[in-house]
Amino acid sequence: MSSFQGQMAEYPTISIDRFDRENLRARAYFLSHCHKDHMKGLRAPTLKRRLECSLKVHLYCSPVTKELLLTSPKYRFWEKRIISLEVEAPTQIPLVDEASGEKEDIVVTLLPAGHCPGSVMFLFQGNNGTVLYTGDFRLAKGEAARMDLLHSGGRVRDIQSVYLDTTFCDPRFYQIPSRGECLSGILALVRSWISRSPYHVVWLNCKAAYGYEYLFTNLSEELGVQVHVDKLDMFRNMPDILHHLTTDRGTQIHACRHPKAEEYCQWNKLPCGITSKNKIPLHTISIKPSTMWFGERSRKTNVIVRTGESSYRACFSFHSSYSEIKDFLSYISPVNVYPNVIPVGTTLDKVREILKPLCRSSQNIEPKYKPLGKLKRARTVHLDSEEDDLFDDPLPVPLRHKLPYQVTLHPDVILLTAVQQNQPEKLRQSTGCCELESMQSSLLANFIDCEESNSESEEEPEVPESLQDLDPVTLPQQKADADVPQWEVFFKRSSDVTGEGLENFPSSTETGRSQSPQLFSDSDGESTHISSQNSSQSTHITEQGSQGWDSQSDTVLLSSQDRTGDSAFLNKGAHRPKAKDSIPASQMEQNVLCSKAISSDVKSRDQDITIVPSMEEHIPEEKRLPNHSTYPDSHSSSDFEIPSTPEAELPKQEHLQCLYKKLATGESIAVEKRKCSFLDI
DNA sequence: GCGATCAGGT
DNA sequence: CACACCTGATCGC
């Protein structure tokens, strides 16, 4: 639970995700996402009153967050004062003190956070440096490297402070199966159950919170079955979500809720009250999404646990794991880091101890082995030096971006002047330069997610038994791709693979009792254990979780080892209302620019500057769209949006192996030309 | 009657 | 061992 009090040291006149106490005096408000614990005070009468007499105060958030927020009548009074900002479109915001008239400008950029629909991180740039407030986030390894706007001039931006979601910043939570793995597992289970008969139904026991939508949409997409929910009006302007939900109780997948739902489920009664269809009784299983985590050495990803005759737990996390947090922070390498959350059972000092070595001041004394998350960065710098970067320095040197009022350093800054209406007037500046080098660096970084690859290869022979029967062509492909982020492997394929492998999964109540299905068990008997309990004690898995858990007959492990890249979830969909017909110009512009920049191959620094974005340069929309639609999520159903690196090439296995060898032997890796570098090494 | 806080639940 | 809620009790305005 966030303990962030709303204000950042560098910019104390703005408040983020807190709206009480001191925050009542803020010049501007920011909301990272629509979860209640980030909305404290947001509908309090004190703030409402302040708003009535401070007409220049606004709340800034993503379009989706605005939509979700305003669906609730309790927040409707904000309507005229919310300014939604497109993701990845730097925007200048005036911070005015209404008493003194004192004014300061700040540039804010929303970056996708992968936590729930509409969730963003805020990157602020102003006179006191650049700071990043992450809100809550779930970003896979390497995802920061793919965010263009975290880069500038070919390197990671000089970020003074990061205000970080440290929910799982504890080595215990070393790894959490990826979204793709979790989804594949759940999909397989749901598929195997509901395909038994039209009377086999699944209840997804979800908490009342945004964040499960990608689960619903993907299940619906894959299975052709809409998900029953209590309410869907908040998604009325998000067709990519809306189409997969229904209020018709006749469907086979339910995510509806009721206070006595758990009880109901035991009697094959769904929370919405139905127990039969066409007078034929239903057969119900429940699946409860919960976070599961694994130790450092474990490559196990058993994402489904059977907890009872007809109940399951499925791995699901809204937050980044320990290793994901470390990857993220070490990539950014800020001067300071402030944890937003102190995980239960640990202390602020312990969290700081973990995070501090990932910050900049500690880099000098960093020894020997660099986790590959670091190498991404090292290479970026190296690349710069190859390309006559005058400012190159082995250690990140503060490269202050003084951004007083003119914001010419930004390629696409939207100036936000006094705004009265809902939609701010956006004035595009066309003075910025294209950030060619940042494209290059992310292009490289895209497939150097080596840390994971390395450890994975250690256990490479480990293939789930159930996958061994699969199409021999498909499987090696899966394995080969497994080491790199996947842009071209989507759900459809990977989940089919998993799904097919899991035919006889849950026992059918018709057949009598539990069949104790043996989908996968821990083949090598390594220390990952699963327990199923009937007490209220929570079930969890850890690498060291072997203290006395006896294997129980009704325990099921579902191991989903195909590595569906998380990026499959992070694209398209619900970031904006009306997503389908409004791909924002800003993003388009960037894509176009990137394409141009990259296709001109390795350019010197000066040449970058000559590439000036302008509205007139736009390529016709039809030509741009394919670029956009190369994103994994061909069915437009996920909730988050992280563009993959424009023009990124999918690395080939042999190139990577080559690279790994070099790394292993400690050879230096000089990357001179992007296109052929991996062949050359 | 409302909100804030806490305890307890899922 | 978490999270993001929900409910209900109590207190204060």
Side-chain angles (χ1 to χ4, degrees), chain A residues 147-274:
Chain A
M147 295 186 178
D148 291 340
L149 290 157
L150 282 180
H151 299 77
S152 173
R155 64 174 80 193
V156 184
R157 277 190 198 282
D158 171 28
I159 292 180
Q160 183 65 26
S161 297
V162 171
Y163 297 80
L164 185 71
D165 173 15
T166 45
T167 301
F168 290 127
C169 191
D170 183 318
R172 274 182 308 165
F173 311 120
Y174 195 88
Q175 47 170 319
I176 295 170
S178 72
R179 263 185 241 281
E181 289 169 314
C182 296
L183 179 61
S184 295
I186 298 171
L187 177 62
L189 173 56
V190 173
R191 189 200 301 275
S192 73
W193 185 252
I194 68 171
S195 59
R196 288 174 178 236
S197 87
Y199 310 101
H200 283 74
V201 298
V202 167
W203 174 48
L204 302 170
N205 181 359
C206 298
K207 311 253 165 65
Y210 296 119
Y212 301 101
E213 291 72 18
Y214 84 81
L215 174 60
F216 302 161
T217 55
N218 281 285
L219 288 178
S220 165
E221 181 76 25
E222 294 292 331
L223 302 171
V225 178
Q226 287 177 308
V227 178
H228 177 245
V229 292
D230 298 318
K231 285 182 64 181
L232 41 67
D233 59 313
M234 58 283 240
F235 303 119
R236 64 193 175 280
N237 292 319
M238 302 173 212
D240 294 338
I241 294 178
L242 191 66
H243 290 155
H244 298 291
L245 304 179
T246 180
T247 49
D248 172 9
R249 301 186 297 172
T251 184
Q252 281 178 280
I253 306 176
H254 290 251
C256 42
R257 291 197 313 276
H258 186 279
K260 290 180 182 156
E262 314 247 349
E263 220 176 284
Y264 279 22
C265 197
Q266 311 248 305
W267 303 99
N268 286 313
K269 184 178 183 177
L270 288 161
C272 54
I274 62 166

Side-chain angles (χ1 to χ4, degrees), chain A residues 86-88 240 487 490 567 570-576 578-592 595 620-636 640-647:
Chain A
E86 294 296 342
V87 173
E88 295 175 318
D240 294 338
W487 290 283
F490 304 147
S567 31
L570 296 171
N571 297 295
K572 277 196 164 184
H575 247 295
R576 291 159 205 98
K578 300 154 205 145
K580 278 189 171 147
D581 41 50
S582 67
I583 295 163
S586 60
Q587 197 167 328
M588 281 308 185
E589 200 169 313
Q590 284 168 12
N591 282 348
V592 173
S595 310
E621 186 141 323
E622 316 79 63
K623 292 196 176 172
R624 287 183 253 133
L625 276 170
N627 190 15
H628 204 73
S629 61
T630 51
Y631 291 155
D633 182 14
S634 55
H635 44 72
S636 315
F640 314 117
E641 188 154 347
I642 293 177
S644 26
T645 303
E647 301 290 300

Side-chain angles (χ1 to χ4, degrees), chain A residues 9 27 37 46 54 100 105 121 159 168 208 224 238 242 316 329 375 402 411 428 430 487 492 558 570 584 618 642:
Chain A
R27 298 185 191 179
D37 58 325
T46 37
S54 305
S100 67
D105 281 321
M121 309 188 283
I159 292 180
F168 290 127
M238 302 173 212
L242 191 66
F316 199 92
L329 189 67
L375 279 166
K402 293 280 185 201
R428 302 211 135 262
S430 52
W487 290 283
K492 194 118 182 104
L558 171 60
L570 296 171
H618 277 173
I642 293 177

Side-chain angles (χ1 to χ4, degrees), chain A residues 416-434:
Chain A
L416 210 58
T417 47
V419 181
Q420 299 302 337
Q421 71 278 44
N422 289 344
Q423 292 304 316
E425 192 184 348
K426 294 176 180 176
L427 302 171
R428 302 211 135 262
Q429 282 210 338
S430 52
T431 50
C433 61
C434 176

Side-chain angles (χ1 to χ4, degrees), chain A residues 24 44-54 77 81:
Chain A
L24 286 162
T46 37
L47 184 56
K48 195 175 178 182
R49 249 178 280 128
R50 151 117 213 259
L51 226 51
E52 280 156 14
C53 47
S54 305
F77 72 90
R81 310 296 282 279

